[in-house]
Amino acid sequence: MILLTVLFLCIISTYSASVKGHTTGPSLNNDKLYKFAYSAEVYVDQVKASLQKSAGYRISSGVDVNLLWRNPDNDDDQLVKITMKDVQVENVNERPADKNIFKGKSTEKIIGKEYLEALQRPIMVELVRGKIKTFYSYQNEPGFTQNIKRGLASLFQLQLHSGSSREVDISGKCDTTYHVRQDQVTKIKDLDSCEIEKKGFTSHNKILDISTKATSATVYVLEDSFIKSIKAEENFVFALNYRRKTGAKIVSKQRLELKSVQAGTGLIAAKQVAGVIKTLDPNYVAIALEAEPVKSECKKCPSVSKHSRTSVKANFLSKQELGQVHPQVVDAVTSAQTPESLEAMLEFLDFKDASTFILQERFLYACGFASHPSEMLLKSLTEKFKGDVASQEIRETLVIVMGALIRKLCDRDGCKLPAVAEAKRLILNRLEKASKDDNVQMYLLALKNALLPEAIPVLLKYAESGEGPISSLAATALQRYDPSFLTKEVKETMNRIYHQTRKIHEKTVRTTAAAILLNSNPSYMEVKNILLSIGELPMEMNKYMLSMIQDILRFEMPSSKTVRQVLKDMRAHNYDRFSKMGSSSAYTGYITRGPDVSSTYSLDILYSGSGILRRSNMNLRVFDRSTDLHAIQVVLEAQGLESIIAATPDEGEENLDSFAGMSAILFGFQLRPVTFFQGYGDLMSKMLSATGDPMNVVKGLVLLTDFLQEIQLQSGPTASAEFMGGLAIDISGGMEFSLWYRESKTNVKNRVAMFVAGNTEVDSFFVKTGMETTLETETALDFISTVQFSQYPFLVCMQMDRVDSPFRTHMTKYESLPSGRRYMARRGKAATLAGNEYPLHQENSNMCKKVFGAKSDSAGGWF
């Protein structure tokens, strides 16, 4: 009996501690008027900046709260009236008079008489067990004032026991957790879980995107079962993933503090709340507690931005104006990615007319780099491809871009969209029917961009059975797939290609097959067989494979552990195998290693046995802890050039036509390759007329970062964060020969300039406050390979140089009124990153000394 009594008392005490009376939510006393002081503040600044110097504003007022009705059958069902009084608008931080945009202006002048009246018109909320069941207000009030009052009303929603639930307030339907400790309640709202209409978009690659973090916490202090004070705070943080110092934060704070309790009016007698509302004012209606979308009415608020979205330009560019613009404007209009800009460009560009080739190519490349392409864009390009296209090069570019758009739409769960399904079907069907090598290569390039899992068997067929460039292209397409897609069938095919068990393959295809195997979690036997092959390969391929293995070990690549296990076997690891002569090499190194992202460069170069370049491959990759980005790849390929120096071709390459060309991947997008020469006659013609100037592969403006997020603040206003990052790029390359000096030179030039602009803003109908930030830099990276093939082993010197790189950042915080009065605070920083010659292996350094030491001082002609 005693035990039961103790247990009963424990249950009762626990219940009373959590409920504090008859209700499970805050309970108002009858005939009382609760007078509160209320403030809602917003701050905008840099991520780690103190709020004392932030841009922002404060809305403050008195708030009267009284109980109108209590359900006679349920004490937990209450109708509460909430009224804002004496509304004031002011700076969130103290400022001198000349920097205070609100100085000398009354609230009525700042907000407007109509809006102020609406803001101070009472609202009513029905609270059932502490949660808002119904929100009552005038139906046709301005959206912004309704949202301010929704934000205030949402503060009165709480529960007096710990636990989690889905809760509806101004932020939408959100996961909410309560922690109760004596007279203090803490409410944590998971803003990422909120179900509410959201506008915005992100960039395609995470490294180029913006990371966001949103938090919300509200602390209640209770007294006599009702609210004594409330402190609520929301934080929204935005940071550029590849440079987290570039970013912004928005802080929203609400405070409600009880000042006094006075005698109030009595309760209204009624059985249902609807009767009370009708008695008080029939203009009140039940409306959603979730915020309603509000379009800014601050039309005259000055914007300090000089870099408006290109979509604004696109919407006002007529067809006649487009006809007078430069290629850079085509880049900008296309990058707007709006239906209007797409319609304007498709109307302006006539693909049946080859005279506008440059503009057509710039348009297509801008489409390929689109950060959030639409189904309509892919559908439009598919229709153009199926129609008449005057230029074969534009036709090739069209289908290559279609492949890139397929991948981006599939990455956003759009693989089943009708336009995507049609484009996939078109590429695969036409590849199957293609008979000309040029057409086969065109569709393979599209698949190299699309990276479709269903295309892997097709690529395997062409990699193993194709000839020359087709086999090489199919193999490099497979190399782009994530290792998780490389099945047992893929590995078996790559082993057959590398070890030539069915047919003879070119060195370029065999080395690509080996790279695929070594980068896709190779087995012990796969690595062992590759190592045992070294010594049985053509001379330069021996050296290249040996260099690749050493690079894996030195750079601690994923397969290095397996390689080390195999090297314990002396049959695989011995002096004879690891002392092979040659000039081919593979080397990987770091460009930068930072807290946010790191970047690497790799230089692979493969020669024929006669000293002629077969392939050089330069890659730049950027990565963080979770993802990576293939920023740049430039590949120079040559074949069939032994005849010009009367040398003997390597095995399997006796019948190759003379050819040299260049291929590039830029931010994961495979561009259309360019050809330097094709055939012996074209080779001799180009050599005799060569100027030494490099050939351009891609030149234009690329939209890298394109981010927009609109935010509903709990205090009522809406906010937005917008970041755009563009790249002006010029990639070119060339090959030169000197028969007299028996020397060749390849040169790849990369010129880039980057600009990032961000605008984070809180926008209301009467004031704008925010911060703009910009980042600018430019650099150039050159890769030069010089070969002297007058002796064997021939002398090879590789150089990779970066020039001095200026770096500038600017930040502007602002507040502005429709009258034109504004406040701005600016700050900037400039620095120069010193140029650098990137180190390669010691063997290369020794070779460079010989190459430049052996050169004659006398001038020689290149022909």
Side-chain angles (χ1 to χ4, degrees):
M1 185 67 184
I2 295 174
L3 182 61
L4 289 174
T5 303
V6 172
L7 181 61
F8 179 77
L9 289 173
C10 287
I11 293 171
I12 292 297
S13 63
T14 303
Y15 180 80
S16 62
S18 64
V19 178
K20 290 276 185 180
H22 296 291
T23 64
T24 54
S27 177
L28 287 77
N29 291 323
N30 303 347
D31 307 324
K32 297 294 182 182
L33 175 65
Y34 297 83
K35 300 188 79 66
F36 290 88
Y38 175 67
S39 67
E41 303 170 344
V42 292
Y43 303 79
V44 184
D45 212 325
Q46 294 175 298
V47 176
K48 293 187 177 181
S50 168
L51 296 183
Q52 276 71 30
K53 294 184 179 180
S54 299
Y57 62 88
R58 176 190 297 116
I59 298 175
S60 59
S61 74
V63 173
D64 287 356
V65 179
N66 63 290
L67 182 66
L68 295 176
W69 169 85
R70 193 190 301 275
N71 191 329
D73 300 323
N74 181 6
D75 285 355
D76 289 338
D77 188 356
Q78 308 168 92
L79 182 66
V80 179
K81 179 182 177 183
I82 303 172
T83 309
M84 296 181 71
K85 292 188 172 183
D86 303 321
V87 176
Q88 302 291 323
V89 182
E90 57 191 339
N91 283 118
V92 75
N93 289 310
E94 288 188 16
R95 292 222 183 90
D98 60 335
K99 295 182 178 180
N100 185 347
I101 63 172
F102 303 109
K103 182 71 174 178
K105 285 185 173 286
S106 66
T107 304
E108 185 174 305
K109 279 194 172 184
I110 295 171
I111 295 180
K113 184 177 180 181
E114 179 186 349
Y115 289 102
L116 184 59
E117 288 177 355
L119 192 60
Q120 297 185 149
R121 187 177 295 125
I123 55 172
M124 285 170 279
V125 294
E126 183 183 5
L127 289 171
V128 179
R129 292 187 295 275
K131 303 298 176 72
I132 296 177
K133 179 182 178 182
T134 317
F135 176 77
Y136 295 96
S137 184
Y138 273 36
Q139 188 169 15
N140 297 321
E141 269 194 20
F144 181 79
T145 59
Q146 291 278 41
N147 285 346
I148 291 286
K149 292 191 283 188
R150 284 182 172 104
L152 173 60
S154 295
L155 290 177
F156 287 88
Q157 181 164 254
L158 77 153
Q159 67 185 38
L160 300 181
H161 59 87
S162 297
S164 299
S165 64
R166 295 281 288 170
E167 197 172 273
V168 176
D169 66 4
I170 185 174
S171 304
K173 192 172 185 179
C174 313
D175 291 338
T176 308
T177 302
Y178 287 89
H179 301 281
V180 179
R181 185 179 179 185
Q182 295 181 343
D183 288 329
Q184 181 171 300
V185 179
T186 302
K187 178 166 69 174
I188 305 295
K189 184 162 55 179
D190 181 1
L191 295 174
D192 293 330
S193 72
C194 294
E195 295 177 12
I196 194 171
E197 182 182 352
K198 296 178 181 178
K199 295 181 180 179
F201 41 78
T202 59
S203 301
H204 178 253
N205 187 279
K206 288 184 180 180
I207 286 179
L208 301 174
D209 204 15
I210 305 297
S211 62
T212 62
K213 185 178 181 181
T215 59
S216 171
T218 307
V219 177
Y220 297 82
V221 176
L222 307 178
E223 188 175 77
D224 296 331
S225 300
F226 194 54
I227 296 164
K228 182 180 181 182
S229 68
I230 304 173
K231 290 183 180 180
E233 182 171 322
E234 285 182 308
N235 285 271
F236 299 88
V237 176
F238 307 90
L240 197 62
N241 283 339
Y242 51 91
R243 190 179 187 273
R244 293 188 179 272
K245 287 183 179 179
T246 300
K249 68 178 174 184
I250 299 172
V251 179
S252 171
K253 293 184 177 183
Q254 292 171 279
R255 291 184 178 88
L256 189 70
E257 187 175 351
L258 182 64
K259 292 298 183 182
S260 65
V261 180
Q262 301 176 6
T265 58
L267 297 183
I268 299 173
K271 288 189 175 183
Q272 294 184 344
V273 71
V276 180
I277 298 296
K278 189 175 182 180
T279 301
L280 288 172
D281 188 341
N283 290 315
Y284 279 92
V285 295
I287 61 175
L289 185 57
E290 296 178 14
E292 61 184 279
V294 177
K295 192 173 183 180
S296 173
E297 298 181 29
C298 189
K299 296 176 181 177
K300 296 181 181 179
C301 288
S303 175
V304 297
S305 175
K306 297 180 182 178
H307 309 282
S308 59
R309 287 194 64 81
T310 53
S311 57
V312 177
K313 300 177 184 176
N315 291 338
F316 293 98
L317 277 173
S318 67
K319 183 178 178 180
Q320 289 75 20
E321 289 172 317
L322 274 170
Q324 302 168 9
V325 301
H326 294 287
Q328 291 90 334
V329 178
V330 173
D331 295 336
V333 174
T334 309
S335 297
Q337 303 180 73
T338 64
E340 294 83 2
S341 65
L342 176 60
E343 183 182 356
M345 291 307 307
L346 291 175
E347 184 182 355
F348 167 64
L349 293 172
D350 183 4
F351 286 85
K352 298 176 184 177
D353 180 7
S355 65
T356 57
F357 171 88
I358 293 177
L359 296 182
Q360 293 173 33
E361 185 179 54
R362 294 289 279 263
F363 163 69
L364 291 173
Y365 278 154
C367 291
F369 288 114
S371 57
H372 45 92
S374 65
E375 183 186 11
M376 179 56 66
L377 173 59
L378 178 58
K379 183 177 180 180
S380 300
L381 295 190
T382 304
E383 291 302 317
K384 290 294 181 183
F385 179 77
K386 291 192 290 188
D388 294 332
V389 181
S391 167
Q392 178 61 22
E393 290 178 330
I394 291 298
R395 182 173 172 79
E396 292 173 5
T397 307
L398 256 169
V399 75
I400 291 169
V401 170
M402 285 165 56
L405 296 180
I406 288 170
R407 185 179 87 253
K408 290 184 178 183
L409 288 168
C410 283
D411 286 347
R412 294 177 182 268
D413 299 322
C415 251
K416 294 183 180 180
L417 293 171
V420 177
E422 182 186 358
K424 290 196 292 185
R425 190 164 51 247
L426 182 147
I427 293 170
L428 291 169
N429 289 346
R430 295 205 178 184
L431 174 59
E432 186 179 356
K433 297 174 183 177
S435 55
K436 295 182 179 180
D437 284 357
D438 287 347
N439 287 337
V440 172
Q441 290 184 57
M442 175 174 71
Y443 294 116
L444 287 177
L445 284 165
L447 293 179
K448 189 174 180 179
N449 272 331
L451 297 179
L452 300 171
E454 60 264 41
I456 289 177
V458 179
L459 294 172
L460 288 175
K461 181 187 77 172
Y462 282 102
E464 188 169 19
S465 305
E467 299 294 335
I470 291 176
S471 176
S472 179
L473 177 55
T476 58
L478 288 164
Q479 194 175 15
R480 293 197 66 197
Y481 280 84
D482 186 270
S484 61
F485 288 100
L486 302 181
T487 61
K488 180 181 178 182
E489 182 186 2
V490 175
K491 290 190 171 187
E492 287 174 351
T493 306
M494 293 302 105
N495 273 299
R496 288 197 301 268
I497 291 173
Y498 178 74
H499 296 290
Q500 302 189 124
T501 55
R502 288 188 179 176
K503 60 174 287 190
I504 301 297
H505 292 276
E506 294 179 32
K507 292 192 297 292
T508 53
V509 183
R510 295 180 69 189
T511 52
T512 301
I516 291 172
L517 289 168
L518 290 170
N519 290 325
S520 55
N521 191 25
S523 67
Y524 180 90
M525 286 307 300
E526 285 172 338
V527 173
K528 184 174 181 178
N529 288 335
I530 288 174
L531 281 168
L532 289 174
S533 71
I534 298 175
E536 309 300 328
L537 306 170
M539 190 172 296
E540 283 299 322
M541 188 174 168
N542 272 326
K543 182 64 175 178
Y544 181 85
M545 289 304 303
L546 181 60
S547 187
M548 183 191 294
I549 295 295
Q550 290 170 333
D551 196 43
I552 288 171
L553 294 171
R554 187 186 58 81
F555 207 69
E556 293 290 342
M557 295 180 187
S559 59
S560 59
K561 186 177 180 180
T562 307
V563 172
R564 284 195 169 87
Q565 289 176 343
V566 175
L567 289 177
K568 293 177 181 177
D569 186 340
M570 294 307 295
R571 288 174 297 175
H573 186 198
N574 55 60
Y575 178 79
D576 179 64
R577 204 176 305 282
F578 275 71
S579 62
K580 297 301 179 183
M581 295 178 63
S583 300
S584 300
S585 64
Y587 186 85
T588 303
Y590 279 102
I591 296 178
T592 59
R593 301 181 76 171
D596 302 326
V597 294
S598 298
S599 57
T600 61
Y601 65 92
S602 63
L603 295 174
D604 300 353
I605 191 159
L606 175 65
Y607 294 98
S608 68
S610 56
I612 300 293
L613 173 74
R614 280 295 274 118
R615 182 186 65 205
S616 75
N617 188 348
M618 182 189 75
N619 289 276
L620 301 180
R621 291 184 176 273
V622 184
F623 59 93
D624 60 14
R625 294 175 183 176
S626 60
T627 188
D628 73 294
L629 171 65
H630 197 175
I632 295 176
Q633 180 189 74
V634 180
V635 179
L636 289 171
E637 287 199 69
Q639 65 179 39
L641 304 186
E642 285 78 11
S643 58
I644 64 174
I645 59 170
T648 303
D650 291 343
E651 179 191 16
E653 301 179 358
E654 297 86 356
N655 300 317
L656 295 178
D657 288 338
S658 298
F659 164 83
M662 181 163 59
S663 174
I665 292 175
L666 186 59
F667 297 103
F669 172 35
Q670 169 70 57
L671 308 176
R672 177 177 54 79
V674 298
T675 300
F676 298 148
F677 56 80
Q678 179 82 53
Y680 186 77
D682 190 24
L683 164 63
M684 297 310 296
S685 173
K686 295 283 175 63
M687 289 179 65
L688 292 171
S689 62
T691 62
D693 296 331
M695 181 178 289
N696 185 262
V697 178
V698 61
K699 185 176 185 179
L701 303 175
V702 179
L703 184 63
L704 293 182
T705 299
D706 196 11
F707 174 92
L708 173 64
Q709 183 175 332
E710 294 187 357
I711 306 153
Q712 176 60 54
L713 299 181
Q714 182 175 290
S715 56
T718 55
S720 63
E722 181 178 21
F723 289 83
M724 296 184 73
L727 194 74
I729 192 160
D730 185 351
I731 298 178
S732 58
M735 298 179 66
E736 301 174 78
F737 296 92
S738 172
L739 299 181
W740 183 261
Y741 289 103
R742 297 180 72 81
E743 185 174 278
S744 70
K745 181 181 290 185
T746 60
N747 190 351
V748 177
K749 295 179 178 291
N750 300 276
R751 303 284 184 270
V752 295
M754 185 175 71
F755 179 84
V756 178
N759 185 30
T760 307
E761 185 174 78
V762 178
D763 188 2
S764 71
F765 69 94
F766 66 91
V767 62
K768 278 187 179 180
T769 182
M771 182 186 73
E772 291 196 339
T773 181
T774 62
L775 179 155
E776 303 170 66
T777 187
E778 56 188 274
T779 191
L781 189 67
D782 290 346
F783 168 50
I784 303 168
S785 173
T786 305
V787 183
Q788 292 183 352
F789 46 85
S790 57
Q791 58 181 329
Y792 194 87
F794 34 84
L795 301 178
V796 180
C797 172
M798 293 184 292
Q799 298 164 277
M800 185 171 167
D801 302 331
R802 178 178 53 76
V803 300
D804 289 351
S805 305
F807 186 88
R808 296 174 292 275
T809 60
H810 298 276
M811 182 271 294
T812 302
K813 289 182 281 191
Y814 61 90
E815 299 160 0
S816 60
L817 295 175
S819 64
R821 185 183 289 187
R822 61 182 176 179
Y823 159 79
M824 286 193 295
R826 293 189 174 96
R827 194 172 68 186
K829 186 184 293 185
T832 299
L833 185 64
N836 188 26
E837 181 172 345
Y838 291 99
L840 301 177
H841 44 82
Q842 186 60 45
E843 186 178 340
N844 180 71
S845 301
N846 297 337
M847 197 81 78
C848 287
K849 293 176 183 177
K850 293 181 181 179
V851 168
F852 293 110
K855 277 195 172 183
S856 172
D857 293 334
S858 59
W862 288 85
F863 57 90

